[in-house]
Amino acid sequence: GKASDSGVVYGHRGMTLEEDLNVSNRYYIETDQAVIYKKPTPIQIVHVDYPKRSAAKITEAYFRKASTTDYNGIYRGRYIDFEAKETTHAHYIPLKNFHAHQVEHMKRIKRHGGIGFIIVKFTQTAEIFLLDSDYLANYWVASMKGGRKSMPKQLFMDHGHLIPQNYLPRIDYLRVVNKVYF
Amino acid sequence: GKASDSGVVYGHRGMTLEEDLNVSNRYYIETDQAVIYKKPTPIQIVHVDYPKRSAAKITEAYFRKASTTDYNGIYRGRYIDFEAKETTHAHYIPLKNFHAHQVEHMKRIKRHGGIGFIIVKFTQTAEIFLLDSDYLANYWVASMKGGRKSMPKQLFMDHGHLIPQNYLPRIDYLRVVNKVYF
Ligand SMILES: [Mg+2]
Ligand SMILES: [Mg+2]
């Protein structure tokens, strides 16, 4: 990675946020810090072939919309739940990156005592922020009432937390979780 | 459903354990008691067609082995994790119904303060038991050392808990969780 003006190392520009989070989660599991996984992509299976002497082959299937967020697990005894998204826009992330089901899901998680947040990567600068899911819920409701259809980067700078990026773990979001939720 | 000798109503004999659990989890969500979902089946996608004016179609994919359990979520502020299996054997469930990865995963969950158990349905009698995952872990280790390759039904009767079956929720496992873990 190369050093930015601020001295932060922004590496792995070729990796997607999801890949980097998967590697980070694996590191957290291997070092026994947390047990957090990305859920598999939900698929509607229509047809499966069962050839003799080889593995079952799915020959017709379709992507389904997730009813929950992509990531969940346990950390320091607490239930953790989050959604991760990239935005190519320099100054905002469109709300259409999220689904109504996901916003509702995160509200439920909070109500039941869990920790819920979003992780958003602004790809132009490679900055990654953690923002509590209450902010997403509030912007979502406001947009339904005619408000803006995106969350400005300024919101992340004012109320979110820049996540440190390293070699291992690549995206050290639990360091931020320690500060914000414990 | 029809009444058994013991007076318990065993209904929905045509439904699989998974279907009944999904309906029960939906009921728990709708009544705002818990937020627990079955994870999607993990699929290795090899080829996707993107036809014009219609949905992306997966034309080649394969089933992958799950590295975690099938169900997780939050209940009364606690992280919940379990695996559900049916056995057609009257007196035992073979350990090969579980994978080493799942046993290891449940050990981690316990270590980090979560609640972990298995739900096993003995299909011949339609009885469904909840058993703490520590018992599975112990039988697993013993089998590696030459011990028996199955868990006897007697284990479930002595150390597990019969789950009440009703109309709604069909499999009221949270009632058992209340007693065992809170
Ligand atoms: Mg997603
Ligand atoms: Mg399974």
Side-chain angles (χ1 to χ4, degrees):
Chain A
K2 58 179 178 177
S4 73
D5 287 347
S6 63
V8 179
V9 175
Y10 296 125
H12 328 286
R13 277 178 198 258
M15 301 289 285
T16 66
L17 177 60
E18 179 179 322
E19 288 165 332
D20 277 341
L21 283 170
N22 289 345
V23 172
S24 303
N25 286 336
R26 210 173 306 137
Y27 175 81
Y28 287 142
I29 288 170
E30 282 164 6
T31 54
D32 205 25
Q33 294 182 65
V35 188
I36 298 165
Y37 282 95
K38 182 177 185 297
K39 292 181 193 171
T41 305
I43 303 287
Q44 177 73 42
I45 297 169
V46 176
H47 192 80
V48 183
D49 277 353
Y50 296 94
K52 283 178 189 163
R53 284 182 293 276
S54 62
K57 180 179 174 181
I58 299 160
T59 57
E60 186 180 354
Y62 300 91
F63 295 101
R64 288 190 313 172
K65 194 168 276 188
S67 41
T68 68
T69 49
D70 275 350
Y71 300 85
N72 77 355
I74 187 167
Y75 177 56
R76 293 174 64 177
R78 300 282 303 276
Y79 175 91
I80 297 264
D81 199 293
F82 66 95
E83 182 64 31
K85 292 291 177 193
E86 295 182 324
T87 178
T88 56
H89 302 287
H91 302 299
Y92 64 94
I93 177 166
L95 284 172
K96 67 171 159 49
N97 279 276
F98 303 91
H99 307 303
H101 280 316
Q102 294 178 325
V103 177
E104 191 52 50
H105 174 75
M106 283 191 266
K107 276 193 206 169
R108 287 195 184 103
I109 293 305
K110 290 296 205 75
R111 208 157 58 221
H112 287 271
I115 293 171
F117 52 84
I118 58 175
I119 289 181
V120 172
K121 178 171 184 174
F122 290 85
T123 57
Q124 288 197 21
T125 56
E127 289 165 298
I128 303 175
F129 291 91
L130 183 152
L131 182 72
D132 189 89
S133 61
D134 286 351
Y135 292 97
L136 171 61
N138 292 342
Y139 269 74
W140 193 269
V141 168
S143 81
M144 294 294 156
K145 295 175 178 163
R148 66 177 290 172
K149 306 300 182 214
S150 66
M151 289 185 289
K153 186 177 178 184
Q154 194 63 46
L155 173 71
F156 292 85
M157 291 178 353
D158 292 346
H159 300 286
H161 307 269
L162 193 62
I163 301 176
Q165 298 181 52
N166 307 300
Y167 177 63
L168 265 179
R170 287 186 190 166
I171 302 176
D172 199 1
Y173 65 91
L174 289 184
R175 217 199 299 182
V176 174
V177 169
N178 282 337
K179 274 186 281 186
V180 179
Y181 297 102
F182 287 91
Chain B
K2 58 179 176 178
S4 73
D5 287 345
S6 63
V8 178
V9 175
Y10 296 124
H12 327 288
R13 279 179 198 255
M15 300 291 284
T16 66
L17 177 60
E18 178 179 323
E19 287 166 333
D20 277 341
L21 283 169
N22 289 346
V23 172
S24 303
N25 286 336
R26 208 173 308 137
Y27 175 81
Y28 287 142
I29 288 169
E30 281 163 9
T31 54
D32 205 26
Q33 294 181 66
V35 188
I36 297 165
Y37 281 95
K38 181 177 186 296
K39 293 181 192 172
T41 304
I43 304 285
Q44 177 73 44
I45 297 169
V46 177
H47 191 81
V48 184
D49 277 353
Y50 295 94
K52 283 179 188 159
R53 281 182 297 277
S54 62
K57 179 181 176 180
I58 299 161
T59 57
E60 185 181 355
Y62 300 91
F63 295 101
R64 288 190 314 173
K65 195 168 275 189
S67 43
T68 68
T69 49
D70 274 352
Y71 298 86
N72 77 356
I74 186 167
Y75 177 56
R76 293 175 61 177
R78 300 282 301 278
Y79 175 92
I80 297 264
D81 198 290
F82 65 96
E83 183 63 31
K85 293 291 179 194
E86 294 181 324
T87 178
T88 57
H89 302 287
H91 302 299
Y92 65 93
I93 177 166
L95 284 171
K96 67 171 160 46
N97 279 276
F98 303 92
H99 308 301
H101 280 317
Q102 294 178 326
V103 177
E104 192 50 52
H105 174 74
M106 283 191 265
K107 276 193 205 167
R108 286 193 184 105
I109 293 307
K110 290 295 205 75
R111 208 158 56 223
H112 287 272
I115 294 170
F117 52 84
I118 59 175
I119 290 179
V120 171
K121 178 172 185 174
F122 290 84
T123 58
Q124 289 198 21
T125 55
E127 289 165 297
I128 304 176
F129 291 92
L130 182 152
L131 181 72
D132 190 89
S133 61
D134 286 351
Y135 292 97
L136 170 62
N138 292 343
Y139 268 73
W140 193 269
V141 167
S143 82
M144 294 294 156
K145 295 174 178 163
R148 66 178 290 171
K149 306 300 182 213
S150 66
M151 289 185 288
K153 186 177 177 184
Q154 195 63 47
L155 173 71
F156 291 86
M157 291 175 0
D158 291 345
H159 300 288
H161 308 269
L162 194 62
I163 302 176
Q165 298 182 52
N166 308 299
Y167 178 63
L168 265 179
R170 288 187 190 166
I171 302 175
D172 199 1
Y173 65 91
L174 289 183
R175 217 199 299 180
V176 173
V177 168
N178 282 337
K179 275 187 279 185
V180 178
Y181 297 104
F182 287 91

